[in-house]
Amino acid sequence: MTFTTERRETRSGVGTSADRPDGIPKVTGDFAYASDLSARGSLWGATLRSPHPHARITRLDIGPALRVPGVSAVLTLDDVPGRKVFGLEEADQPVLADGLVRYWGEPIAIVAASDVEDANRAIAAIVVEYDVLEPLVDPEEADRRNETFRRMTIRRGDQTVRGEVVVEGVYETGMQDQAPLGLEAGLAMPDGEGGVDLFVATQWSHVDHEQIVAALGLPDDRVRVHLSGIGGAFGAREDVSLQIHLCLLALHTGRPVRMVYNRAESFAGHVHRHPSRMWYRHEATRDGRLVRVTARLLLDGGAYMSSSRAVMANASYFAVGPYRCDSVEVDGAMVRTNNPPCGAMRGFGAVQSCFGYESQMDRLAAALGMDPLELRLGNALHPGDHMPTTGQQITGSLPTAEVIERLRAIPLPPDVAASHPLHLPGGTGLTTSPDHVVRGVGYAVGIKNLMFSETFDDYTEVRLLITPVGVEVHTAAAEVGQGLVTVCQQIARTVLDIEHVAVIFDDTSQIGSAGSTSASRQTQMTGGAVLAAATELRDVILAEYGGDRLDGRGVWRQAELTVTIDELCRRGPTERHVRFRHPPTEKPDENGQGNVHVDFAVAAHRAVVDVDPELGLVHVVRIDTVQDVGKVLNPRALVGQVEGGIMQGVGLAVMERLVLDRGVVRNANFTDYLLPTFADAPPVVTVFVEEPSHFGPFGAKGAGEPPTISSTPAVAAAIRAATGRPITRVPVRPDDIVGL
Amino acid sequence: MRITVTVNGIDHAVDVRGAESLLYLLREELALPGSKNACEQGECGSCSVVLDGDVVCACLVMAADVNGSTVRTVEGYADHEVLHPVQAALLDGGGVQCGFCTPGFVVAAAELFDANPVPSTDQIREALAGNVCRCTGYGAIMRGLEELAARNVGGGA
Amino acid sequence: MDCDWPHDLDAALRALQSDPDATLLAGGTDVMVEVNAGHAHPAHVVALRRVEELRTWEGNRIGAGTTYTTMERGPHPALAQLARTVGSPQIRNAGTIGGNLGTASPAGDSLPFLAALDASVELHGAGGGRVLRWDEFITGVKRTARRPDEIIVAAVLPDEVPLRQAFGKIGVRNAMVISMVSACVMRYDDGRTAVALGAVGPTPLRARTAEAMISVEPAPSDATLAEFARLVSQEVRPITDHRGTEAYRRHASGVLARRLLERCLAA
């Protein structure tokens, strides 16, 4: 069935707001997410999870569960035939509990049954007895006990330097959750020959595949991981959640097995943003030159490693921010506790640090009697400067000063008394009238690396194919909603001048890894791979036929069509397969020095807030932002990424926090884990600075993470400006504003 | 027990086993997976459907309770090959990223515009405050719907 | 599971009397949350959506099946204000005042309004009908005096409902939020003032000392209003939970009550 609309369809190349190819099925309800997949005869999977953050399992009797009618399998760790642990950085997490449970919600057993009710009945029938142990939940205690996943040491420059003006502060960020709307879901289909096909929502199918084959003890080609439709990710789908479980159940029962987490289980089933505590000392000359930054960062990794080592690195490398500073001391500790495991979430450690250093920059400006933006401009990192932490020289673009200046130039919204309750703190709760309101404005600037670092070889493969009806772009890259699929089409269209481009998501047996959809890397990596493949293919074709132009009709020499597209497809070449890499990076030395990163992006945010200081309620009036994007490939999609990221930053600033009570999550649901609604969303003014990246298709830079990094501290700064309160933790509570 | 319900204009006689929700019935029994399950508490609106003329969260409606009722889901808005203006508006504005919230927005926004073809920005905001989006930050959704409202002022889309 | 779909009150009562363990289902916004979480497995449901008598709103007798959407458009400003804060439009189209009473959550949004008016709850059961005052009906956290054979049929407001009334609800988010503190203030022409608060005690409560103090003040000064706020904050019994701290709720109760009173006085 084809759909038409009254509007003109825009399907064009780089620089246009080309339509998403999956947009129509998404608005009609036809788009298939992992949770929509089913197969004839499929069973339903479910998971038994620990209610305790730390306990020894003294009895585990699955017998009663096996006797529940409709149950086909009940599996425990003993049923894992291969490697019994998995993990992104280190395989440190048991596929199912190994006798000890180390966090609230840790999976203990899995079942497959004829329907969801039988599956839940089976879960309830499993007999588990626990010897409840004291959980380690205090990160400082964990640090003292040396329970760490990683310690980072960064020492750069003369450590004896001191500044004339010194400000210190202690800051905290809470445990944010990615909360993608799409719940964890998958369908595993055994192939009848000892292998299995898994259809799943994930950020990196190949890394899932590695962990699955290891756990199943199977050769690589016996397991195929297929990307299904994905309902958002933001870091929640980098780690394995139900992938191994589903494959185990499917192979054990010989039947297709479906599993979908409910929301409470989803909170337990994926990692979260690391909570942090940060001690900072900033030292400057009296005229505002930053001379020394000392920071101690403490991040809580929870029970298992996930990607905590990399998050610790990021938080440490970006502990000073986009500023010049030649005397830096950063000590980072990523501790292991019995709190829920933390890992990737958009921003990946740079979020926490930015709240620390931007709060400090405002404190420093106040101590110096300087305008906060002037302080930042005076110390802003430029190309040619050295990263304050690693010493890496910035060789690509980094328009920090321009980003700040253009932000400052955006006119502020008018300060008029609001009449509609949605424009007042408290909203339709009618708590606040205009005379209870004080307005505040705050700024923040942030920096993020793009792509993976410290020698990680996150290559990406793309196979490009010209057919008589158009181009096929084959990739295993995960389209999670960000619009990579559209950008790939646009790049292929522009290079090959062929309008019809289909992006086909191959499974792990059909193509090599595209790397993770994370680290703001896919545009530069998979987009870059498409550019490389298309360019190489075009050049090879033109050379082969002596042509000077290629388009959808064929090969042209001057004004003459010398080879039709049909002929080209018969004779070839029509295919190009690339494994695309970014420039190499280095491992840091023992002081954290080295060319650790590939590329950087900066962004600045300004928040205007109206605060009711007596009740501690906040209304975010508007967020303005200027972002360093290299090149705008798709204006509409890029604005979407920026606005979405800002909303998550606002969420962390004023409302999002997983509440832990001795390791147990108290608000694992959408009633009490508050996501910003339409009624909370401020309008956003977005400006892009296009200074081309040295590495990126058409000069484009990844753009997904910078919006979440400095938006949070901008809101905090605005609240400080309105109230005079120190605001040293996010999310800000009403108590913090009131001063209780 | 057997109930009868009309969904998107088609009459169904269907078995309901227990207290399962209308959302479950639509997705698992009636092959209408367009309505999404994201929270099961009525806190996100991704399961929004129209029940006897009112927009509700299908996850909070007991399937048994729709006996004799009329339901409209996201699948009931495109007219064969023509998108509903709200669907087109969401696409045009860039308000679709991962799309998981989109079906709920289609239903809630379509009903809003049906009752009021020229809603103000604040009316749009308040009417859709029960539909959570995690990807877009709502800006693109708002722009698409504001433009639709503006076109309606001009005399129709 | 069995289900009855009565079309009138008598049929509903008969269905319930045949099985007083049956689950009464109105809008489903409370019941289905429990069902979806696996905490409730009703064996027998009596669905009330089709019972016209329950939706009837005549004068000050508000049928239990009246939805928040209907209340939002009704004649009582504070009731309309509180209805607007409930959940989302989807929730407001389904949730009912009878359901709010039946669940009797400490943070129930309609309850401070009913408490401020000393409204009553009309119940019908095997023994006939009876009317209980709100504080006889709500007996504890999520506990009411409803007998298993009874259906809540109406909220009954007193004949005298003052024009000066105001409602406010404090939450960290602008929609779909369970209140940290909610309050309703009524100011009668003779100065009598009712101050009811929700989410700051096991049941909605009236700040009687503060009421008594302010009722004799025809034109309270700033100092008097400050004292009023202080008395309110002393009378509430909040707890600390994952939604808010006791200290904040206590402080906010006084601030909110004062502002609502000022709004009434200015009207």
Side-chain angles (χ1 to χ4, degrees):
Chain A
M1 192 191 291
T2 58
F3 285 95
T4 60
T5 65
E6 293 170 13
R7 62 188 166 79
R8 186 174 39 83
E9 287 202 30
T10 315
R11 303 198 297 166
S12 298
V14 166
T16 68
S17 288
D19 289 339
R20 309 185 56 103
D22 55 9
I24 289 178
K26 284 177 174 175
V27 295
T28 60
D30 291 317
F31 185 80
Y33 298 91
S35 48
D36 299 321
L37 300 176
S38 64
R40 196 182 278 282
S42 60
L43 298 171
W44 192 274
T47 312
L48 172 70
R49 296 179 179 274
S50 168
H52 304 293
H54 197 203
R56 184 171 305 283
I57 298 172
T58 54
R59 183 168 170 223
L60 182 61
D61 182 2
I62 62 171
L66 285 168
R67 293 191 284 278
V68 169
V71 169
S72 298
V74 182
L75 305 180
T76 66
L77 187 66
D78 288 342
D79 298 298
V80 177
R83 191 180 65 177
K84 294 195 190 276
V85 284
F86 71 96
L88 278 178
E89 289 177 343
E90 238 177 60
D92 70 336
Q93 184 164 358
V95 172
L96 292 164
D98 61 7
L100 258 185
V101 288
R102 298 179 182 85
Y103 71 98
W104 169 86
E106 179 163 2
I108 296 171
I110 49 179
V111 311
S114 51
D115 60 39
V116 58
E117 304 238 323
D118 290 340
N120 288 336
R121 237 176 262 131
I123 294 294
I126 298 175
V127 177
V128 206
E129 283 169 15
Y130 302 95
D131 180 15
V132 177
L133 303 169
E134 188 67 24
L136 173 58
V137 296
D138 177 3
E140 306 232 27
E141 177 61 24
D143 191 8
R144 276 193 293 275
R145 293 192 204 175
N146 211 26
E147 285 284 348
T148 57
F149 290 118
R150 185 174 190 174
R151 289 195 187 277
M152 283 288 294
T153 302
I154 297 181
R155 298 286 184 275
R156 178 167 172 267
D158 178 357
Q159 297 295 304
T160 67
V161 163
R162 293 292 177 267
E164 296 161 304
V165 178
V166 179
V167 295
E168 292 189 1
V170 182
Y171 306 96
E172 285 183 12
T173 64
M175 186 182 284
Q176 189 179 21
D177 195 272
Q178 305 85 343
L181 283 197
L183 294 164
E184 284 76 2
L187 171 69
M189 316 248 315
D191 64 9
E193 292 165 1
V196 61
D197 287 274
L198 176 69
F199 298 82
V200 68
T202 177
Q203 286 173 243
W204 194 353
S205 52
H206 283 75
V207 126
D208 287 356
H209 178 266
E210 269 171 38
Q211 295 171 83
I212 296 168
V213 294
L216 299 179
L218 288 175
D220 283 356
D221 62 349
R222 310 273 57 220
V223 176
R224 277 101 23 209
V225 179
H226 306 251
L227 291 163
S228 69
I230 301 169
F234 320 115
R237 302 190 206 274
E238 285 192 35
D239 299 76
V240 155
S241 56
L242 40 61
Q243 289 86 330
I244 299 173
H245 295 166
L246 268 177
C247 290
L248 281 171
L249 290 170
L251 287 174
H252 192 96
T253 59
R255 303 264 298 274
V257 181
R258 267 176 93 181
M259 196 184 284
V260 182
Y261 288 177
N262 62 41
R263 181 55 61 179
E265 184 168 26
S266 175
F267 276 109
H270 60 250
V271 298
H272 319 281
R273 190 189 292 291
H274 295 78
S276 74
R277 196 170 293 156
M278 302 170 283
W279 290 262
Y280 268 98
R281 184 188 305 128
H282 275 57
E283 304 182 56
T285 61
R286 228 174 286 274
D287 61 358
R289 187 169 55 85
L290 194 60
V291 295
R292 178 165 169 78
V293 175
T294 314
R296 178 179 162 241
L297 312 175
L298 179 61
L299 271 63
D300 184 353
Y304 296 107
M305 188 184 290
S306 173
S307 42
S308 287
R309 296 175 56 87
V311 173
M312 183 75 263
N314 247 33
S316 306
Y317 292 136
F318 298 110
V320 176
Y323 305 112
R324 281 189 305 278
C325 185
D326 292 328
S327 173
V328 171
E329 174 186 319
V330 179
D331 288 300
M334 174 65 77
V335 296
R336 180 195 291 112
T337 64
N338 293 114
N339 288 320
C342 289
M345 182 173 174
R346 194 174 187 172
F348 208 80
V351 165
Q352 293 90 327
S353 299
C354 190
F355 179 63
Y357 64 74
E358 285 301 276
S359 300
Q360 281 288 94
M361 290 301 273
D362 279 350
R363 268 195 200 189
L364 185 58
L368 290 164
M370 261 184 99
D371 172 76
L373 287 183
E374 285 305 320
L375 174 65
R376 288 169 168 85
L377 283 166
N379 291 284
L381 267 182
H382 300 116
D385 290 337
H386 293 264
M387 276 290 286
T389 45
T390 60
Q392 177 170 4
Q393 191 174 37
I394 313 279
T395 51
S397 69
L398 200 73
T400 315
E402 184 181 353
V403 157
I404 296 171
E405 271 156 354
R406 290 187 66 180
L407 178 64
R408 182 163 60 177
I410 299 174
L412 283 164
D415 191 353
V416 290
S419 50
H420 193 289
L422 283 186
H423 296 280
L424 287 162
T428 54
L430 299 180
T431 57
T432 304
S433 22
D435 40 293
H436 299 127
V437 170
V438 182
R439 177 160 291 194
V441 178
Y443 289 84
V445 189
I447 182 169
K448 179 69 176 59
N449 65 299
L450 309 170
M451 292 157 285
F452 283 28
S453 337
E454 296 182 315
T455 74
F456 200 112
D457 181 17
D458 56 310
Y459 63 81
T460 194
E461 283 193 18
V462 158
R463 186 167 68 94
L464 197 92
L465 195 30
I466 295 177
T467 77
V469 298
V471 179
E472 285 181 15
V473 174
H474 291 256
T475 175
E479 164 61 47
V480 301
Q482 83 280 37
L484 171 72
V485 63
T486 323
V487 155
C488 287
Q489 289 180 306
Q490 291 174 261
I491 292 171
R493 276 184 204 126
T494 292
V495 175
L496 299 171
D497 208 358
I498 299 176
E499 182 64 25
H500 187 92
V501 177
V503 176
I504 294 164
F505 296 108
D506 281 349
D507 69 58
T508 51
S509 71
Q510 297 171 307
I511 197 169
S513 172
S516 176
T517 288
S518 67
S520 306
R521 66 181 282 290
Q522 286 294 20
T523 294
Q524 286 169 283
M525 292 303 293
T526 298
V530 172
L531 176 61
T535 306
E536 288 171 21
L537 182 58
R538 181 198 62 197
D539 291 348
V540 157
I541 289 169
L542 292 179
E544 173 82 11
Y545 296 101
D548 49 44
R549 203 166 64 77
L550 172 71
D551 70 13
R553 295 215 272 149
V555 180
W556 300 76
R557 190 182 306 135
Q558 278 135 24
E560 203 191 318
L561 182 68
T562 55
V563 185
T564 66
I565 201 81
D566 286 334
E567 237 182 289
L568 173 62
C569 289
R570 269 199 308 279
R571 292 163 58 187
T574 53
E575 188 171 327
R576 194 77 180 178
H577 192 139
V578 303
R579 178 177 278 201
F580 185 73
R581 292 188 149 86
H582 55 63
T585 55
E586 297 172 350
K587 279 219 189 294
D589 67 18
E590 67 276 9
N591 288 318
Q593 304 301 293
N595 294 329
V596 160
H597 295 120
V598 179
D599 198 2
F600 306 94
V602 285
H605 292 83
R606 177 174 67 196
V608 177
V609 305
D610 282 341
V611 183
D612 176 348
E614 238 191 322
L615 284 180
L617 300 176
V618 175
H619 169 67
V620 182
V621 175
R622 205 176 79 189
I623 306 276
D624 302 319
T625 183
V626 180
Q627 187 166 332
D628 157 33
V629 299
K631 161 90 182 159
V632 179
L633 299 181
N634 183 318
R636 187 173 52 177
L638 191 52
V639 166
Q641 280 293 285
V642 169
E643 291 178 339
I646 285 174
M647 207 68 246
Q648 293 180 358
V650 168
L652 176 60
V654 294
M655 66 177 72
E656 289 185 45
R657 180 173 69 108
L658 279 173
V659 177
L660 290 175
D661 176 7
R662 292 175 50 73
V664 177
V665 176
R666 284 296 176 218
N667 59 337
N669 57 70
F670 275 1
T671 298
D672 288 318
Y673 183 86
L674 300 179
L675 295 175
T677 69
F678 220 137
D680 301 286
V684 173
V685 172
T686 302
V687 171
F688 296 123
V689 169
E690 292 182 274
E691 275 201 25
S693 164
H694 63 289
F695 175 78
F698 304 93
K701 287 189 177 183
E705 290 173 293
T708 56
I709 291 172
S710 37
S711 46
T712 300
V715 173
I719 296 173
R720 279 187 209 113
T723 62
R725 293 282 177 210
I727 308 295
T728 56
R729 67 175 177 179
V730 286
V732 182
R733 272 58 123 197
D735 305 52
D736 299 339
I737 296 174
V738 171
L740 293 171
Chain B
M1 83 209 81
R2 188 142 263 241
I3 65 158
T4 59
V5 59
T6 304
V7 184
N8 298 331
I10 297 173
D11 296 334
H12 296 273
V14 62
D15 285 320
V16 169
R17 270 176 326 167
E20 68 264 27
S21 66
L22 172 62
L23 180 63
Y24 178 91
L25 189 77
L26 292 169
R27 290 178 54 78
E28 304 294 330
E29 304 291 340
L30 294 177
L32 291 167
S35 309
K36 301 306 175 196
N37 183 2
C39 81
E40 293 187 305
Q41 292 187 324
E43 294 279 348
C44 73
S46 55
C47 64
S48 299
V49 299
V50 182
L51 172 65
D52 295 329
D54 290 323
V55 187
V56 295
C57 287
C59 70
L60 296 185
V61 176
M62 198 181 282
D65 198 19
V66 305
N67 191 22
S69 286
T70 302
V71 177
R72 191 176 186 189
T73 72
V74 61
E75 291 99 335
Y77 283 87
D79 177 15
H80 290 92
E81 305 200 339
V82 179
L83 295 179
H84 186 283
V86 157
Q87 289 170 316
L90 289 172
L91 282 174
D92 286 345
V96 179
Q97 288 190 34
C98 86
F100 208 83
C101 71
T102 302
F105 269 102
V106 168
V107 173
E111 293 307 301
L112 164 68
F113 275 82
D114 197 52
N116 176 6
V118 289
S120 67
T121 298
D122 284 327
Q123 285 173 321
I124 292 171
R125 215 177 252 138
E126 200 168 343
L128 299 179
N131 291 78
V132 170
C133 174
R134 195 51 166 161
C135 293
T136 67
Y138 304 101
I141 296 174
M142 178 60 92
R143 285 188 291 276
L145 295 175
E146 279 174 329
E147 209 192 310
L148 177 59
R151 284 209 301 280
N152 286 348
V153 166
Chain C
M1 193 187 80
D2 289 321
C3 193
D4 293 295
W5 301 276
H7 287 265
D8 60 58
L9 187 56
D10 282 339
L13 286 166
R14 277 197 306 277
L16 184 60
Q17 259 106 75
S18 77
D19 177 10
D21 285 334
T23 299
L24 294 170
L25 178 70
T29 57
D30 284 330
V31 170
M32 287 307 290
V33 173
E34 297 303 303
V35 167
N36 290 339
H39 297 157
H41 307 271
H44 181 191
V45 168
V46 177
L48 299 174
R49 223 163 38 90
R50 298 156 191 75
V51 179
E52 274 311 309
E53 292 113 298
L54 293 178
R55 277 193 218 277
T56 310
W57 183 342
E58 248 166 47
N60 279 344
R61 188 176 175 281
I62 308 175
T66 303
T67 66
Y68 291 104
T69 300
T70 303
M71 288 181 248
E72 244 191 295
R73 299 171 187 155
H76 301 295
L79 184 60
Q81 287 158 5
L82 75 86
R84 190 184 185 186
T85 71
V86 173
S88 62
Q90 289 91 330
I91 300 289
R92 297 197 277 280
N93 281 336
T96 64
I97 195 165
N100 210 218
L101 281 164
T103 297
S105 160
D109 293 305
S110 71
L111 306 182
F113 172 80
L114 297 173
L117 285 172
D118 275 331
S120 297
V121 180
E122 187 182 322
L123 302 138
H124 280 238
R130 60 181 181 139
V131 175
L132 293 177
R133 217 177 62 171
W134 68 276
D135 51 351
E136 296 170 319
F137 175 73
I138 301 174
T139 57
V141 175
K142 299 198 164 185
R143 292 230 293 266
T144 71
R146 181 186 76 87
R147 291 196 282 258
D149 62 287
E150 287 179 312
I151 294 177
I152 301 166
V153 299
V156 184
L157 312 183
D159 289 329
E160 192 193 355
V161 177
L163 288 172
R164 290 183 230 193
Q165 49 178 263
F167 173 86
K169 166 174 163 176
I170 297 175
V172 165
R173 185 166 74 166
N174 278 348
M176 300 198 288
V177 75
I178 301 210
S179 65
M180 281 198 279
V181 179
S182 61
C184 185
V185 172
M186 303 265 173
R187 178 81 167 183
Y188 294 79
D189 288 338
D190 61 1
R192 249 183 318 137
T193 308
V195 181
L197 297 114
V200 288
T203 67
L205 60 83
R206 293 274 296 269
R208 304 271 183 202
T209 310
E211 289 178 1
M213 176 273 227
I214 206 72
S215 294
V216 299
E217 298 279 351
S221 65
D222 271 354
T224 310
L225 288 170
E227 176 62 11
F228 166 76
R230 195 187 65 80
L231 287 173
V232 170
S233 69
Q234 274 192 337
E235 284 189 82
V236 295
R237 296 151 54 203
I239 58 171
T240 292
D241 64 14
H242 53 280
R243 294 182 189 129
T245 62
E246 186 213 326
Y248 176 78
R249 286 173 159 133
R250 195 173 285 288
H251 163 84
S253 296
V255 175
L256 185 61
R258 174 185 173 158
R259 290 185 184 180
L260 295 177
L261 176 62
E262 284 171 323
R263 220 173 279 168
C264 288
L265 293 170

